[in-house]
Amino acid sequence: MLPAWLTEPLWSQFAALLPQRPQFDPAHPLGCHRLRINDRIVFDKLLQVLRFGCSYEAIADSTCSATTIRNRRDEWMQLGLFTKLKQIALNAYDRIVGLALDQIAIDGAITKAPGGGEVAGRSPVDRGKQGMKRSSMTDGYGIPLGRVLVGANRHDSPLLAPTLDLLPELGPLPDKITVHLDAGYDSASSHVLLDERGLRGRIARKGTKAPVQATQRWHVERTHVWQNAFHRLARCYERRLSAIEAFFDLADTIITVRSLIRRAWTTHRWDTRPRRQP
Protein backbone atom coordinates (compact mmCIF):
# COMPACT_ATOMS: atom_id res chain seq x y z
CA MET A 1 0.00 0.00 0.00
CA LEU A 2 1.08 3.61 -0.45
CA PRO A 3 2.83 5.27 2.53
CA ALA A 4 0.94 7.62 4.83
CA TRP A 5 3.12 10.61 3.92
CA LEU A 6 1.68 10.27 0.42
CA THR A 7 -1.92 9.19 1.02
CA GLU A 8 -2.69 11.77 3.72
CA PRO A 9 -2.11 14.87 1.54
CA LEU A 10 -3.98 13.17 -1.28
CA TRP A 11 -7.00 12.53 0.91
CA SER A 12 -6.90 15.98 2.52
CA GLN A 13 -7.16 17.67 -0.85
CA PHE A 14 -9.68 15.20 -2.24
CA ALA A 15 -11.90 15.59 0.83
CA ALA A 16 -11.94 19.36 0.25
CA LEU A 17 -13.42 18.75 -3.21
CA LEU A 18 -16.23 16.48 -2.00
CA PRO A 19 -19.72 18.04 -1.78
CA GLN A 20 -21.61 18.03 1.49
CA ARG A 21 -23.74 14.90 1.88
CA PRO A 22 -26.37 14.12 4.56
CA GLN A 23 -25.65 11.23 6.87
CA PHE A 24 -29.06 9.75 6.03
CA ASP A 25 -31.05 9.96 2.81
CA PRO A 26 -33.72 12.67 3.38
CA ALA A 27 -35.86 11.23 0.56
CA HIS A 28 -36.32 7.88 2.31
CA PRO A 29 -40.08 7.25 2.90
CA LEU A 30 -39.56 6.15 6.50
CA GLY A 31 -37.19 8.95 7.33
CA CYS A 32 -34.31 6.61 7.97
CA HIS A 33 -31.75 4.66 6.04
CA ARG A 34 -28.46 2.85 6.49
CA LEU A 35 -25.53 5.11 7.22
CA ARG A 36 -23.64 6.29 4.17
CA ILE A 37 -20.25 4.55 3.85
CA ASN A 38 -17.47 6.93 4.79
CA ASP A 39 -15.81 8.50 1.74
CA ARG A 40 -12.34 7.86 3.16
CA ILE A 41 -12.98 4.10 3.19
CA VAL A 42 -14.03 4.13 -0.48
CA PHE A 43 -11.08 6.35 -1.45
CA ASP A 44 -8.65 3.93 0.19
CA LYS A 45 -10.33 1.03 -1.61
CA LEU A 46 -9.88 2.77 -4.96
CA LEU A 47 -6.20 3.33 -4.19
CA GLN A 48 -5.84 -0.39 -3.48
CA VAL A 49 -7.61 -1.29 -6.72
CA LEU A 50 -5.32 1.07 -8.64
CA ARG A 51 -2.12 -0.12 -6.99
CA PHE A 52 -2.72 -3.88 -6.88
CA GLY A 53 -4.99 -4.26 -9.93
CA CYS A 54 -7.42 -6.53 -8.08
CA SER A 55 -11.15 -6.67 -8.79
CA TYR A 56 -13.71 -4.72 -6.79
CA GLU A 57 -15.09 -7.97 -5.40
CA ALA A 58 -11.64 -9.03 -4.17
CA ILE A 59 -11.03 -5.76 -2.34
CA ALA A 60 -14.54 -5.50 -0.83
CA ASP A 61 -15.06 -6.47 2.81
CA SER A 62 -17.42 -5.82 5.70
CA THR A 63 -16.66 -2.09 5.62
CA CYS A 64 -17.52 -1.52 1.97
CA SER A 65 -19.11 -3.59 -0.81
CA ALA A 66 -17.98 -3.79 -4.43
CA THR A 67 -21.22 -2.08 -5.53
CA THR A 68 -20.54 0.85 -3.22
CA ILE A 69 -17.01 1.23 -4.61
CA ARG A 70 -18.31 1.30 -8.19
CA ASN A 71 -21.19 3.66 -7.41
CA ARG A 72 -19.00 6.09 -5.49
CA ARG A 73 -16.37 5.94 -8.25
CA ASP A 74 -18.99 6.83 -10.86
CA GLU A 75 -20.37 9.59 -8.66
CA TRP A 76 -16.94 11.17 -8.29
CA MET A 77 -16.25 10.75 -12.00
CA GLN A 78 -19.44 12.65 -12.89
CA LEU A 79 -18.33 15.48 -10.61
CA GLY A 80 -14.92 15.53 -12.31
CA LEU A 81 -13.11 15.18 -8.99
CA PHE A 82 -10.22 13.07 -10.30
CA THR A 83 -9.45 15.60 -13.04
CA LYS A 84 -9.64 18.47 -10.55
CA LEU A 85 -7.34 16.63 -8.14
CA LYS A 86 -4.75 16.11 -10.85
CA GLN A 87 -4.88 19.78 -11.87
CA ILE A 88 -4.44 20.89 -8.26
CA ALA A 89 -1.38 18.65 -7.93
CA LEU A 90 0.10 20.06 -11.16
CA ASN A 91 -0.50 23.64 -10.01
CA ALA A 92 1.14 22.93 -6.64
CA TYR A 93 4.15 21.31 -8.32
CA ASP A 94 4.49 24.22 -10.75
CA ARG A 95 4.27 26.75 -7.92
CA ILE A 96 6.78 25.06 -5.60
CA VAL A 97 9.21 23.31 -7.98
CA GLY A 98 8.28 24.49 -11.46
CA LEU A 99 7.22 22.51 -14.50
CA ALA A 100 9.92 22.23 -17.18
CA LEU A 101 7.58 23.03 -20.06
CA ASP A 102 10.37 24.13 -22.38
CA GLN A 103 11.34 20.45 -22.76
CA ILE A 104 8.43 18.14 -23.65
CA ALA A 105 8.68 14.40 -24.25
CA ILE A 106 6.00 12.32 -25.98
CA ASP A 107 5.92 8.57 -26.50
CA GLY A 108 3.46 5.69 -26.74
CA ALA A 109 3.19 2.60 -24.57
CA ILE A 110 1.15 -0.57 -25.07
CA THR A 111 -0.45 -2.39 -22.14
CA LYS A 112 -2.87 -5.30 -21.81
CA ALA A 113 -6.65 -4.88 -21.87
CA PRO A 114 -8.04 -8.40 -21.35
CA GLY A 115 -11.58 -7.15 -20.89
CA GLY A 116 -11.68 -5.23 -24.17
CA GLY A 117 -13.65 -2.01 -24.02
CA GLU A 118 -13.91 1.35 -25.74
CA VAL A 119 -10.15 1.89 -26.21
CA ALA A 120 -8.99 -1.68 -26.80
CA GLY A 121 -7.60 -3.14 -30.01
CA ARG A 122 -5.52 -6.03 -31.33
CA SER A 123 -2.03 -5.74 -29.85
CA PRO A 124 0.81 -6.15 -32.39
CA VAL A 125 3.19 -7.19 -29.60
CA ASP A 126 0.93 -9.68 -27.79
CA ARG A 127 -0.23 -12.14 -30.49
CA GLY A 128 -3.25 -10.08 -31.40
CA LYS A 129 -4.75 -10.07 -27.91
CA GLN A 130 -6.69 -7.06 -26.69
CA GLY A 131 -4.46 -4.18 -25.70
CA MET A 132 -4.49 -0.43 -25.09
CA LYS A 133 -2.05 2.26 -26.19
CA ARG A 134 -1.48 5.53 -24.41
CA SER A 135 0.32 8.45 -26.03
CA SER A 136 1.77 10.22 -22.99
CA MET A 137 3.24 13.70 -22.67
CA THR A 138 5.58 14.73 -19.85
CA ASP A 139 7.61 17.76 -18.91
CA GLY A 140 11.40 17.83 -18.80
CA TYR A 141 11.50 15.96 -15.49
CA GLY A 142 8.88 13.35 -16.32
CA ILE A 143 5.80 14.83 -14.66
CA PRO A 144 2.77 13.48 -16.58
CA LEU A 145 0.92 16.30 -18.32
CA GLY A 146 -1.71 14.32 -20.24
CA ARG A 147 -2.38 11.35 -22.43
CA VAL A 148 -4.44 10.07 -25.36
CA LEU A 149 -5.89 6.56 -25.05
CA VAL A 150 -6.56 4.42 -28.13
CA GLY A 151 -6.44 0.79 -29.20
CA ALA A 152 -3.10 -0.99 -29.25
CA ASN A 153 -3.24 -1.34 -33.05
CA ARG A 154 -2.69 2.40 -33.60
CA HIS A 155 0.68 3.82 -34.65
CA ASP A 156 2.40 6.46 -32.54
CA SER A 157 2.83 9.05 -35.29
CA PRO A 158 -0.87 9.89 -35.94
CA LEU A 159 -1.34 10.37 -32.17
CA LEU A 160 1.18 13.22 -32.05
CA ALA A 161 -1.35 15.90 -33.05
CA PRO A 162 -4.08 15.03 -30.48
CA THR A 163 -1.41 14.71 -27.79
CA LEU A 164 0.00 18.16 -28.59
CA ASP A 165 -3.56 19.53 -28.46
CA LEU A 166 -3.36 19.04 -24.68
CA LEU A 167 -0.65 21.72 -24.36
CA PRO A 168 -2.97 24.77 -24.24
CA GLU A 169 -4.76 23.28 -21.22
CA LEU A 170 -1.57 23.77 -19.18
CA GLY A 171 -1.86 27.57 -19.24
CA PRO A 172 0.91 30.01 -20.25
CA LEU A 173 3.68 28.24 -22.17
CA PRO A 174 7.32 29.19 -22.84
CA ASP A 175 8.14 30.89 -26.13
CA LYS A 176 10.45 28.07 -27.21
CA ILE A 177 9.42 24.47 -26.63
CA THR A 178 11.46 21.44 -27.68
CA VAL A 179 9.58 18.19 -28.23
CA HIS A 180 11.63 15.00 -27.79
CA LEU A 181 10.44 12.02 -29.84
CA ASP A 182 11.71 8.57 -30.76
CA ALA A 183 12.33 7.20 -34.26
CA GLY A 184 8.69 6.20 -34.66
CA TYR A 185 7.88 9.87 -35.28
CA ASP A 186 10.67 10.37 -37.85
CA SER A 187 8.50 11.32 -40.81
CA ALA A 188 7.82 14.38 -42.92
CA SER A 189 4.32 14.77 -41.47
CA SER A 190 5.69 14.96 -37.91
CA HIS A 191 8.23 17.65 -38.88
CA VAL A 192 5.54 19.66 -40.67
CA LEU A 193 3.18 19.34 -37.70
CA LEU A 194 5.80 20.65 -35.28
CA ASP A 195 6.75 23.53 -37.59
CA GLU A 196 3.10 24.58 -37.96
CA ARG A 197 2.75 24.80 -34.19
CA GLY A 198 6.01 26.68 -33.70
CA LEU A 199 7.64 23.79 -31.84
CA ARG A 200 11.18 22.53 -32.20
CA GLY A 201 11.47 18.78 -32.63
CA ARG A 202 14.32 16.59 -31.54
CA ILE A 203 13.50 13.29 -33.20
CA ALA A 204 15.67 10.17 -33.21
CA ARG A 205 16.59 9.04 -36.72
CA LYS A 206 15.39 5.75 -38.12
CA GLY A 207 18.14 3.19 -38.53
CA THR A 208 20.55 5.03 -36.23
CA LYS A 209 21.22 3.29 -32.94
CA ALA A 210 21.47 5.56 -29.92
CA PRO A 211 20.82 5.02 -26.21
CA VAL A 212 17.66 6.56 -24.86
CA GLN A 213 19.82 8.58 -22.44
CA ALA A 214 21.31 10.44 -25.43
CA THR A 215 18.28 12.76 -25.42
CA GLN A 216 15.79 13.91 -22.83
CA ARG A 217 13.26 11.38 -24.15
CA TRP A 218 14.15 9.00 -21.30
CA HIS A 219 11.97 11.05 -18.95
CA VAL A 220 8.77 9.85 -20.60
CA GLU A 221 10.11 6.29 -20.63
CA ARG A 222 10.60 6.50 -16.88
CA THR A 223 7.08 7.88 -16.46
CA HIS A 224 5.71 4.87 -18.35
CA VAL A 225 7.45 2.66 -15.78
CA TRP A 226 5.94 4.70 -12.94
CA GLN A 227 2.46 4.34 -14.43
CA ASN A 228 2.86 0.62 -15.08
CA ALA A 229 3.67 0.15 -11.39
CA PHE A 230 -0.07 0.69 -10.89
CA HIS A 231 -1.33 -2.73 -11.94
CA ARG A 232 -4.81 -1.44 -12.79
CA LEU A 233 -3.20 0.50 -15.65
CA ALA A 234 -0.71 -2.16 -16.74
CA ARG A 235 -3.48 -4.74 -17.06
CA CYS A 236 -6.70 -2.82 -17.49
CA TYR A 237 -10.04 -4.55 -17.03
CA GLU A 238 -12.08 -1.35 -17.18
CA ARG A 239 -14.20 -1.10 -20.32
CA ARG A 240 -15.35 2.51 -20.21
CA LEU A 241 -12.98 5.26 -21.33
CA SER A 242 -14.20 7.57 -18.55
CA ALA A 243 -13.27 5.02 -15.86
CA ILE A 244 -9.82 4.44 -17.39
CA GLU A 245 -9.19 8.19 -17.56
CA ALA A 246 -10.22 8.52 -13.91
CA PHE A 247 -7.69 5.89 -12.81
CA PHE A 248 -4.99 7.51 -14.95
CA ASP A 249 -5.75 10.91 -13.40
CA LEU A 250 -5.47 9.39 -9.93
CA ALA A 251 -2.18 7.66 -10.81
CA ASP A 252 -0.76 10.85 -12.36
CA THR A 253 -1.74 12.76 -9.21
CA ILE A 254 0.14 10.25 -7.04
CA ILE A 255 3.22 10.48 -9.30
CA THR A 256 3.13 14.29 -9.22
CA VAL A 257 2.67 14.57 -5.44
CA ARG A 258 5.38 11.97 -4.80
CA SER A 259 7.82 13.85 -7.05
CA LEU A 260 6.86 17.12 -5.36
CA ILE A 261 7.55 15.76 -1.88
CA ARG A 262 10.85 14.21 -2.95
CA ARG A 263 12.14 17.35 -4.67
CA ALA A 264 10.89 19.75 -1.98
CA TRP A 265 12.22 17.66 0.90
CA THR A 266 15.62 19.40 0.88
CA THR A 267 14.32 22.93 0.26
CA HIS A 268 11.10 23.19 2.30
CA ARG A 269 9.89 22.37 5.81
CA TRP A 270 6.37 21.40 6.87
CA ASP A 271 4.78 19.70 9.87
CA THR A 272 4.13 16.33 8.18
CA ARG A 273 7.43 16.24 6.29
CA PRO A 274 8.89 12.68 6.22
CA ARG A 275 11.82 12.20 8.59
CA ARG A 276 13.99 10.81 5.84
CA GLN A 277 14.04 11.64 2.15
CA PRO A 278 11.48 9.43 0.36
Side-chain angles (χ1 to χ4, degrees), residues 137-185:
M137 178 172 59
T138 67
D139 78 333
Y141 180 75
I143 300 301
L145 303 176
R147 98 289 305 177
V148 174
L149 300 176
V150 294
N153 53 342
R154 297 285 300 278
H155 193 272
D156 288 347
S157 184
L159 301 178
L160 179 59
T163 306
L164 290 174
D165 289 341
L166 302 175
L167 273 176
E169 300 176 5
L170 301 176
L173 299 173
D175 295 332
K176 296 181 180 180
I177 299 177
T178 302
V179 182
H180 299 267
L181 304 166
D182 65 14
Y185 300 88

Side-chain angles (χ1 to χ4, degrees), residues 5-6 93 97 141-144 222 226 253-265:
W5 56 261
L6 182 55
Y93 184 94
V97 179
Y141 180 75
I143 300 301
R222 181 180 62 179
W226 286 344
T253 302
I254 294 173
I255 293 172
T256 303
V257 173
R258 182 176 59 194
S259 299
L260 171 60
I261 294 175
R262 285 175 174 174
R263 301 193 70 183
W265 192 86

Side-chain angles (χ1 to χ4, degrees), residues 74-94:
D74 292 343
E75 176 185 327
W76 293 342
M77 283 164 45
Q78 292 177 0
L79 295 173
L81 299 189
F82 298 107
T83 303
K84 293 178 182 178
L85 184 65
K86 177 193 172 184
Q87 190 59 48
I88 290 173
L90 276 177
N91 293 339
Y93 184 94
D94 191 27

Side-chain angles (χ1 to χ4, degrees), residues 96-113:
I96 298 173
V97 179
L99 290 169
L101 296 179
D102 58 331
Q103 304 290 332
I104 300 297
I106 297 177
D107 193 21
I110 296 178
T111 55
K112 296 178 181 293

